[in-house]
Amino acid sequence: IESNILTTQEVDNLLASFDENNKFNFMHNFEYNLIFQGSKDGLSESNFKSKVHGHKNVLCLIHTQENDVFSGYTSTGWTAKYPEYHATESDDKAFIF
């Protein structure tokens, strides 16, 4: 995983945790691709939506100004459908950490 948020050791620990908890066993062949980086793409909601919405199997790492890091995964991805900008979709594979 390419990350400016996590150290190499933290990435290794995260990936090991995914393996130990069988998080992505349902996806047989996959790779991690960086599709949005706030420091490069801009931190606005519209920039995030233009890069991320419409993609499935999204792992999102967030680094706050308070120096906290949290993350989440969704297999269904996010969409912005007017007028239901905050509509939800069931995802039994989703998790946060």
Side-chain angles (χ1 to χ4, degrees):
I1 296 177
E2 182 182 337
S3 176
N4 289 339
I5 295 173
L6 303 176
T7 66
T8 302
Q9 183 62 49
E10 289 170 328
V11 168
D12 291 345
N13 291 343
L14 180 63
L15 296 177
S17 174
F18 290 162
D19 286 342
E20 290 169 13
N21 293 292
N22 300 316
K23 288 299 185 184
F24 298 118
N25 286 354
F26 64 94
M27 297 187 315
H28 300 287
N29 294 315
F30 66 92
E31 60 184 45
Y32 295 97
N33 295 306
L34 182 62
I35 58 174
F36 176 82
Q37 185 174 5
S39 60
K40 289 182 183 176
D41 299 315
L43 294 173
S44 73
E45 179 183 0
S46 62
N47 290 351
F48 178 83
K49 285 181 178 180
S50 72
K51 296 278 190 169
V52 177
H53 283 215
H55 290 272
K56 295 188 182 296
N57 299 309
V58 175
L59 178 66
C60 185
L61 299 171
I62 299 170
H63 184 215
T64 69
Q65 290 179 339
E66 292 79 22
N67 211 28
D68 295 317
V69 176
F70 61 97
S71 186
Y73 168 79
T74 175
S75 66
T76 60
W78 289 291
T79 59
K81 298 177 184 174
Y82 179 80
E84 302 169 19
Y85 288 118
H86 301 288
T88 60
E89 185 175 339
S90 179
D91 184 355
D92 63 348
K93 293 175 180 64
F95 61 90
I96 58 173
F97 56 96

